[in-house]
């Protein structure tokens, strides 16, 4: 078990560019979550998957954001036409519904700075 | 949807004293309440959780209490140590087949030597 893996660690991008984050969940975890965190705030829910199905997407998420989990394993989060307000840490997490409870395990997170 | 409020936002206690962080939630259907600790530059990590079928749970110096009627839950840290300094987040969710977890805004705990 190598934990939830995210890459790249830090992205700096110019406003208007597209960025993509990748997340590899803990092996055999069928649920995968994306959260966003800004300084001084708690993780803010963006979206989550049960296997390959995207079950919920936050209303806070504009149509510039899209997430996929095509084979029910890794996931990608793409932000199109980035804006300065997108600057934050993007956290991926995973859990298993085969175990009691809904404990989610976070990856290290990836910082996005939009300049 | 669920809304989780957490306070205080910052807390400073003398080493060896106790610290208490309180949270409230809005959705009476929520039944799973984890607490996460986040050190500077690191990922949030689960430290303890409680389900609605119990009112209290303890793990060494950490304890959580839950009042379902009032929709309150609290984290208690006794005999605080310098390594307890971090940001703590409470959260709530429905422990169902597919459910998101909603976090509070965090409490920055500082332990004074």
């Amino acid at each position: 078990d190598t934990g939830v893996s995210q890459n790249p660690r830090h992205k700096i991008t110019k406003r208007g560019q597209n960025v993509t984050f990748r997340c590899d969940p803990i092996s055999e975890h069928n649920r995968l979550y994306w959260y966003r965190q800004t300084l001084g705030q708690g993780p803010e829910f963006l979206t989550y998957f049960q296997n390959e199905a995207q079950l919920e997407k936050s209303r806070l998420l504009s149509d510039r954001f899209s997430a996929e989990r095509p084979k029910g394993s890794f996931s990608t989060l793409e932000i199109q036409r980035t804006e300065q307000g997108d600057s934050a840490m993007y956290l991926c997490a995973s859990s298993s519904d085969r175990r009691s409870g809904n404990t989610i395990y976070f990856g290290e997170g990836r910082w996005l700075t939009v300049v | 949807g669920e809304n989780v409020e957490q306070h205080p936002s910052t807390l400073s206690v003398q080493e060896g004293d106790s610290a208490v962080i309180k949270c409230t939630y809005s959705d009476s259907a929520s039944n799973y309440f984890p607490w996460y600790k986040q050190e500077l530059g690191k990922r949030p990590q689960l430290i303890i959780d409680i389900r609605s079928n119990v009112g209290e749970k303890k793990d060494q110096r950490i304890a959580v209490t839950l009042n379902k009627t009032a929709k309150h839950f609290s984290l208690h840290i006794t005999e605080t140590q310098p390594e307890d300094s971090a940001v703590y987040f409470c959260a709530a969710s429905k422990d169902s087949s597919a459910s998101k977890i909603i976090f509070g805004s965090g409490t920055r705990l500082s332990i004074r030597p």
Side-chain angles (χ1 to χ4, degrees):
Chain A
D1 185 323
T2 57
V4 180
S5 174
Q6 292 184 247
N7 68 75
R9 185 166 184 80
H10 191 177
K11 270 197 168 181
I12 301 173
T13 189
K14 290 184 178 179
R15 188 173 52 185
Q17 297 294 307
N18 299 345
V19 297
T20 300
F21 296 99
R22 173 178 170 133
C23 172
D24 289 88
I26 292 172
S27 179
E28 297 182 357
H29 275 191
N30 57 339
R31 297 183 198 169
L32 187 147
Y33 308 79
W34 285 100
Y35 283 82
R36 176 172 65 188
Q37 187 177 24
T38 54
L39 286 175
Q41 296 297 316
E44 177 185 40
F45 171 78
L46 295 179
T47 188
Y48 80 97
F49 294 83
Q50 173 98 354
N51 301 312
E52 66 275 9
Q54 187 174 18
L55 295 187
E56 188 168 349
K57 186 175 177 180
S58 169
R59 283 174 290 177
L60 300 173
L61 225 54
S62 74
D63 56 8
R64 296 184 297 106
F65 287 72
S66 63
E68 294 182 343
R69 195 183 183 198
K71 297 182 180 179
S73 56
F74 73 91
S75 174
T76 57
L77 175 69
E78 181 183 20
I79 309 173
Q80 296 182 322
R81 305 182 303 281
T82 52
E83 301 173 355
Q84 287 187 322
D86 297 332
S87 296
M89 181 164 69
Y90 289 83
L91 289 158
C92 177
S94 68
S95 70
S96 171
D97 67 355
R98 298 184 189 92
R99 296 183 178 178
S100 176
N102 195 21
T103 301
I104 69 171
Y105 299 88
F106 283 95
E108 294 179 350
R110 291 297 177 254
W111 283 101
L112 172 66
T113 301
V114 181
V115 296
Chain B
E2 176 65 276
N3 182 50
V4 178
E5 306 250 343
Q6 180 173 350
H7 57 95
S9 57
T10 59
L11 179 61
S12 178
V13 300
Q14 193 74 34
E15 183 178 349
D17 288 350
S18 296
V20 180
I21 301 170
K22 298 181 179 182
C23 290
T24 61
Y25 61 99
S26 61
D27 189 344
S28 56
S30 290
N31 56 7
Y32 175 64
F33 307 93
W35 286 86
Y36 285 78
K37 176 183 180 182
Q38 187 174 30
E39 296 177 354
L40 189 62
K42 296 188 177 181
R43 74 187 79 187
Q45 292 197 304
L46 179 74
I47 55 172
I48 196 168
D49 57 15
I50 190 169
R51 291 185 170 77
S52 59
N53 57 342
V54 297
E56 184 173 358
K57 182 177 178 180
K58 190 173 182 180
D59 182 4
Q60 299 183 338
R61 297 186 295 108
I62 295 173
V64 291
T65 59
L66 172 64
N67 182 330
K68 280 195 68 179
T69 303
K71 292 189 278 189
H72 290 174
F73 57 114
S74 301
L75 176 72
H76 304 251
I77 306 174
T78 59
E79 301 172 15
T80 52
Q81 300 170 2
E83 54 265 36
D84 295 330
S85 294
V87 180
Y88 291 81
F89 296 99
C90 62
S93 80
K94 300 167 198 172
D95 189 9
S96 59
S97 60
S99 177
K100 63 192 180 191
I101 293 181
I102 301 300
F103 286 82
S105 56
T107 296
R108 181 173 297 279
L109 176 63
S110 301
I111 307 301
R112 303 191 302 271

